[in-house]
Amino acid sequence: MINAHRLTVRVLAAAVAVVGATALSGCVESNRPAEDAAGGSECPFEADPSVTSTVRIAYQNIPNGDLVVKDQKMLETCMPNAKITWNKFDSGGDVIQAFGSNSADIGLIGSSPATKALSAPLNIPMKVIWVHDVIGKAESLAVKDEAVTDIKQLKGKTIAVAFSSTAHYSLLQALQDAGMNPAADVKIVNLSPDKMPSAWEGGQIDAAWVWDPTLSELLGSGGHILVSSEDTAKAGKPTYDLGAATTSFIDANPAFMTAWAKAQNAAVQEINDKPDDASVSIGAVMGISPDDVKKQFAGYEYLPAKDQASADYLGGKMATDLEATAGFLLEQGGITAVSPPAVYAGGVDAKPAEAAAQ
Amino acid sequence: MTESTTTSPPAGAAPDPELGAREAQRRDTQERRRQLLRRMLVRIIALVVFLGVWWLVTSLQLIKPLYLPSPASVWHAFVLSNTDHPIAPGVDRMVKGEQNYYLWEHLIASLQRIGVGVGWAIIFGPILGFAMASFKPIATIIEPYLNFLRALPPLGYIGILIVWFGIGDTSKMWLLFLAAFPPITIATINGVRGVREERINGALSLGASRFQTITHVVLPSTLPEVISGIRIAVGFAWTTVVAAELNNGIPGIGGLAYLSGTELKTPLTIACIIVIGIAAILLDLAIKGVEKVLVPWRGKA
């Protein structure tokens, strides 16, 4: 029994040791850079060693230039003295949460989440600075019943979509354009893409507006595409994957923003001119084959900086697109108020794109 | 089987009581070993049958591979995730494991988080438990909050922890700590309250001081309960680890299981689940072993 006291002390000591050891050693560090990056150990433009910013980037596994920049370490080589960490996120909502909790400085979000961030109740001080891609056929409405060839025939059917995503926005726009009432004529259910195949197979949903890899999966099990986000974009309601950064970060790091936009522009050029190289980089990050990446390229449009800075995008129309999205989100209960037009105009910053275009 | 016949005592041997006792003991351990072997055999057969049925169902294509991949493809995913491999056949570019980490590194990253979260719980839980069991007012004040915290689903408040502590490891460790310390505290309280009054009085009447009764009677009697609480807490931490790693959970085995699920990589998801299960069992066995060493008096006092 005399040993008991010593034993208790030993247990406590062991616990302290375990805590201390694991906390200090950190044998598996987070955000470890890939060792075998594809070629690109050279900066595609003049490197800027004067930039010493500390940057936390929020990326998502969407096939666009952001992953080329990440994989080829463009930012790290072009700004050797900047401290850059890449964190992976699963949705725009999560990126906004990170902006709000000051855990990320710059990140990729869809146009719907971007609008949400700029509207009440969130009112997050951030700006849209880049268009990673314009969403086209990559997000499409897959329908199970072969007899359905017009969206009006979906009356009374169940359609799955991930709520407050860009696909959700496109779906509601397509239904409205076809003269249907999304609330009454069809049943729209909130489902994350990975749950859709089983619901599809089990006959619980008749259609889904979704992206890859789920879209290919649904098409492989007897579905066909009825309309796509390309169609809704042509009808005047485009959706985007955007680059956004917190206002305080943009104000404090103008040199970084310019170099960042130049790197993104180089990545866009690589996707458009050398898709074989770009698809390997993107495939390495996403963990899918380069061939699958190239197939997905066709579903997006990638804009060079010059086009982005123009009045069609960041230079003008983007603000009105965001405002239109806000009106839609308000109807759906995603936000509590549409901000004044000046907020959306101020929420877009074309300066980095302009600098990269020169 | 042949062994047992050779070691059985020859018929008509002199009845030496000491020899008989030793013989009985030997036979006893032999019997136990045979039982253990039989149990292992039954388990192995069950596993083989299970794998056979799994293989049969998938090779007959009764179920789509997306919902139930074959054992071979799960094994393939497991091997790929632990090696450097090209991103696709015929492509030069090599990648490391999954998401730039090997599977075992994902596991270690999660174990580190569990280690820190549960480690702090092991320090804080018993202290709070002793305080609550020894001083009535503390228990009166804290008990409702403890029960409140215990009932909360981790997924419900991970969002708040992220807003408070950021998306890094800190919020994950907090979540694991908050999940792990209530079971330890409650086990400690039960242990202290379960110490029989007469033992303390016995020690007191033999001249022990108040402090000595705590260190020599209460603490040793409570230790088995505390360790049981730790075992429950570690199990709880495993069930919480996926919730902790939903956001920015790479590297992390729970994060990888979730991520591969969202990307429809079912073989990898199943490989992760199997690895989590095996790691949890091994960790539990290790704690059981520690218990045997630290509190050999469990169930005997």
Side-chain angles (χ1 to χ4, degrees):
Chain A
M1 277 314 222
I2 290 187
N3 281 337
H5 176 55
R6 219 179 295 152
L7 275 178
T8 322
V9 172
R10 225 186 291 166
V11 174
L12 274 177
V16 173
V18 166
V19 172
T22 40
L24 292 176
S25 71
C27 26
V28 178
E29 52 168 342
S30 295
N31 312 313
R32 182 174 60 192
E35 279 161 20
D36 177 35
S41 50
E42 274 172 44
C43 181
F45 48 92
E46 203 186 327
D48 187 351
S50 70
V51 179
T52 54
S53 312
T54 300
V55 196
R56 297 157 303 170
I57 301 173
Y59 74 99
Q60 295 189 52
N61 275 356
I62 297 170
N64 59 42
D66 206 26
L67 299 187
V68 177
V69 170
K70 175 183 191 300
D71 186 62
Q72 300 186 3
K73 299 202 185 90
M74 286 188 190
L75 299 177
E76 290 82 351
T77 48
C78 294
M79 290 172 281
N81 296 317
K83 198 171 162 292
I84 295 161
T85 50
W86 292 81
N87 294 305
K88 185 182 171 301
F89 286 75
D90 294 318
S91 74
D94 292 340
V95 177
I96 292 173
Q97 192 181 33
F99 280 158
S101 63
N102 191 28
S103 314
D105 302 307
I106 184 164
L108 185 149
I109 52 180
S111 42
S112 292
T115 309
K116 205 172 169 181
L118 289 172
S119 310
L122 293 176
N123 293 320
I124 288 171
M126 57 149 245
K127 283 178 182 175
V128 173
I129 42 161
W130 193 255
V131 179
H132 285 297
D133 57 68
V134 185
I135 300 169
K137 289 200 171 69
E139 294 183 3
S140 295
L141 179 62
V143 182
K144 207 175 174 187
D145 187 353
E146 274 175 41
V148 174
T149 52
D150 188 280
I151 195 165
K152 288 201 182 75
Q153 286 171 277
L154 284 175
K155 196 161 186 175
K157 299 275 168 87
T158 306
I159 308 171
V161 71
F163 274 22
S164 53
S165 66
T166 45
H168 188 203
Y169 175 68
S170 301
L171 169 66
L172 296 173
Q173 292 300 340
L175 288 169
Q176 275 173 1
D177 289 350
M180 295 169 81
N181 178 359
D185 292 340
V186 291
K187 194 173 165 229
I188 300 176
V189 292
N190 181 15
L191 211 55
S192 65
D194 54 309
K195 314 289 187 306
M196 287 175 186
S198 58
W200 173 281
E201 207 77 11
Q204 289 134 334
I205 56 173
D206 303 298
W209 199 304
V210 70
W211 50 90
D212 263 338
T214 303
L215 182 59
S216 299
E217 185 66 37
L218 298 184
L219 296 179
S221 47
H224 68 281
I225 290 179
L226 199 58
V227 288
S228 74
S229 294
E230 191 177 39
D231 301 318
T232 46
K234 274 186 195 142
K237 302 286 186 246
T239 50
Y240 309 97
D241 287 315
L242 300 168
T246 57
T247 308
S248 56
F249 181 81
I250 296 173
D251 293 345
N253 302 280
F256 175 88
M257 294 314 301
T258 303
W260 180 87
K262 278 184 184 168
Q264 293 289 347
N265 195 35
V268 167
Q269 275 166 5
E270 183 169 327
I271 291 176
N272 289 334
D273 300 342
K274 291 184 280 181
D276 287 336
D277 294 355
S279 63
V280 169
S281 280
I282 294 173
V285 180
M286 292 180 71
I288 60 177
S289 79
D291 286 341
D292 286 344
V293 176
K294 266 188 279 183
K295 263 180 237 151
Q296 292 194 36
F297 279 164
Y300 298 95
E301 192 186 346
Y302 304 98
L303 304 168
K306 193 158 69 71
D307 294 2
Q308 296 209 18
S310 76
D312 284 343
Y313 296 100
L314 299 175
K317 190 168 165 288
M318 182 61 69
T320 43
D321 283 342
L322 292 177
E323 202 185 330
T325 311
F328 146 83
L329 283 175
L330 183 66
E331 273 173 44
Q332 303 305 322
I335 58 175
T336 54
V338 176
S339 307
V343 171
Y344 300 106
V348 180
D349 184 355
K351 279 199 286 298
E354 282 165 8
Q358 278 162 12
Chain B
M1 282 298 156
T2 49
E3 212 178 314
S4 67
T5 50
T6 53
T7 51
S8 64
D16 180 351
E18 200 183 320
L19 198 77
R22 225 185 296 156
E23 188 60 34
Q25 199 182 0
R26 199 185 308 160
R27 229 179 296 162
D28 196 39
T29 53
Q30 219 163 40
E31 179 61 28
R32 231 183 298 159
R33 202 178 302 160
R34 214 176 304 145
Q35 262 178 7
L36 192 77
L37 263 171
R38 202 178 306 146
R39 230 175 21 213
M40 289 298 284
L41 201 69
V42 169
R43 279 182 186 164
I44 289 170
I45 291 171
L47 182 67
V48 169
V49 168
F50 172 74
L51 287 174
V53 170
W54 179 7
W55 173 80
L56 196 70
V57 167
T58 49
S59 64
L60 290 176
Q61 301 191 324
L62 295 176
I63 303 176
K64 279 185 72 178
L66 176 66
Y67 306 122
L68 185 66
S70 67
S73 63
V74 171
W75 175 250
H76 184 64
F78 176 78
V79 171
L80 275 192
S81 64
N82 277 301
T83 48
D84 289 321
H85 58 91
I87 50 176
V91 181
D92 288 341
R93 176 68 194 276
M94 301 289 282
V95 284
K96 183 179 281 213
E98 285 291 337
Q99 305 292 327
N100 199 27
Y101 292 89
Y102 299 121
L103 189 66
W104 61 268
E105 290 181 311
H106 286 288
L107 180 64
I108 288 184
S110 293
L111 282 171
Q112 273 172 253
R113 293 183 185 124
I114 291 178
V116 175
V118 175
W120 282 111
I122 291 174
I123 296 169
F124 183 72
I127 294 175
L128 183 67
F130 273 113
M132 285 173 70
S134 316
F135 306 101
K136 204 82 205 209
I138 297 184
T140 312
I141 293 168
I142 291 180
E143 202 151 9
Y145 296 99
L146 196 67
N147 287 328
F148 179 81
L149 182 66
R150 207 158 55 109
L152 291 182
L155 261 178
Y157 58 89
I158 180 67
I160 298 177
L161 292 179
I162 286 175
V163 173
W164 287 348
F165 302 112
I167 53 162
D169 273 348
T170 318
S171 57
K172 298 177 181 63
M173 288 165 184
W174 264 102
L175 186 74
L176 291 167
F177 167 73
L178 290 175
F181 97 83
I184 300 179
T185 305
I186 287 163
T188 311
I189 295 172
N190 288 341
V192 174
R193 287 186 185 156
V195 178
R196 265 183 259 131
E197 194 88 8
E198 56 259 40
R199 279 216 202 138
I200 298 172
N201 289 337
L204 284 174
S205 67
L206 288 171
S209 69
R210 267 276 160 207
F211 181 72
Q212 279 171 324
T213 61
I214 290 177
T215 55
H216 288 73
V217 180
V218 177
L219 276 182
S221 312
T222 316
L223 204 51
E225 290 280 347
V226 174
I227 292 181
S228 296
I230 291 171
R231 271 181 69 192
I232 294 169
V234 170
F236 220 65
W238 278 111
T239 62
T240 312
V241 84
V242 174
E245 292 174 351
L246 280 185
N247 295 76
N248 194 23
I250 301 293
I253 191 93
L256 186 65
Y258 170 73
L259 177 70
S260 57
T262 61
E263 289 173 351
L264 302 181
K265 293 177 187 163
T266 333
L268 182 59
T269 313
I270 293 181
C272 286
I273 290 170
I274 293 173
V275 168
I276 291 176
I278 292 175
I281 290 174
L282 290 181
L283 197 60
D284 194 57
L285 282 179
I287 300 173
K288 254 198 219 169
V290 169
E291 183 180 32
K292 248 184 216 158
V293 173
L294 284 182
V295 270
W297 60 85
R298 158 151 232 174
K300 287 171 189 151

